[in-house]
Amino acid sequence: VHERTQELRLQPEQISLAPLVREQLKALKPRLQGRIVLHADYDEGAAVLADPAQTAEAINNVLSNAVEAMPEGGELRVRVIGGKRGSTIEVRDSGVGIEKRHLRKVTEPFFTTKSGKAMNFGLGLAYCSQLMHRQGGELKLQSESGRGTVVSFHFPAIKQAKGAWR
């Protein structure tokens, strides 16, 4: 995964996070099936320098994980937060959570906590983590078994140089 994400040619551009997240949530809605209550809060001013297609894929991956973590239903909270030091997308679910002993390993390639799931190779969070690192950001995870998980995409602030975006 590390090699593959290094080979990916990122095409960073200045993007607004709110529309990007809205688009991913719209695609996810059919999977909520009335059993998962969605709460979304958007800072319309949150902008980042990132590859829109790859970032959308990473957001989709984390949202899918959140839905899968709530087979009996629950709450999904998504926030887009902008600030002087950067912007954040926070995805919080009320699902099964991740055991403390597994939390550090979930961003390692081929590690998975999903037993018996078809087409699960343990690559999703590894991809997300590598992508964020390559874009100068960070993927943070907090979780408690039985209480849910919070995944945060932290993007650095856009720096201006001589009147132009870089």
Side-chain angles (χ1 to χ4, degrees):
V1 170
H2 179 72
E3 287 176 17
R4 288 287 176 212
T5 58
Q6 295 305 311
E7 290 173 14
L8 270 177
R9 290 191 57 95
L10 296 182
Q11 298 179 334
E13 58 186 71
Q14 185 175 336
I15 56 173
S16 177
L17 288 179
L20 192 70
V21 172
R22 270 194 199 92
E23 185 179 311
Q24 296 309 306
L25 287 173
K26 183 179 177 184
L28 183 76
K29 283 228 170 149
R31 293 183 56 200
L32 303 182
Q33 302 168 334
R35 62 185 174 81
I36 296 174
V37 178
L38 174 64
H39 305 277
D41 182 33
Y42 305 100
D43 178 343
E44 299 297 336
V48 299
L49 193 60
D51 182 303
Q54 300 302 324
T55 303
E57 181 68 28
I59 295 164
N60 180 52
N61 184 286
V62 169
L63 291 171
S64 292
N65 284 352
V67 169
E68 290 172 13
M70 299 183 284
E72 305 301 318
E75 289 190 20
L76 177 61
R77 296 182 180 276
V78 180
R79 292 176 55 203
V80 174
I81 308 155
K84 289 183 180 178
R85 293 190 173 153
S87 297
T88 301
I89 301 168
E90 182 182 275
V91 178
R92 179 183 301 265
D93 69 60
S94 62
V96 296
I98 303 167
E99 292 180 38
K100 196 173 198 167
R101 64 189 173 104
H102 294 314
L103 198 54
R104 285 187 162 180
K105 297 178 184 177
V106 295
T107 57
E108 293 176 10
F110 306 110
F111 181 84
T112 183
T113 60
K114 301 175 188 176
S115 59
K117 297 274 185 183
M119 297 305 291
N120 178 51
F121 302 105
L123 298 175
L125 289 175
Y127 164 77
C128 294
S129 181
Q130 282 293 323
L131 174 68
M132 290 305 295
H133 177 74
R134 287 196 55 214
Q135 296 186 130
E138 184 179 13
L139 185 76
K140 291 186 178 181
L141 288 99
Q142 297 172 291
S143 190
E144 191 175 332
S145 190
R147 298 186 58 100
T149 301
V150 180
V151 179
S152 300
F153 296 84
H154 294 286
F155 297 86
I158 298 173
K159 294 181 176 83
Q160 283 192 320
K162 298 178 185 173
W165 297 106
R166 67 171 161 169

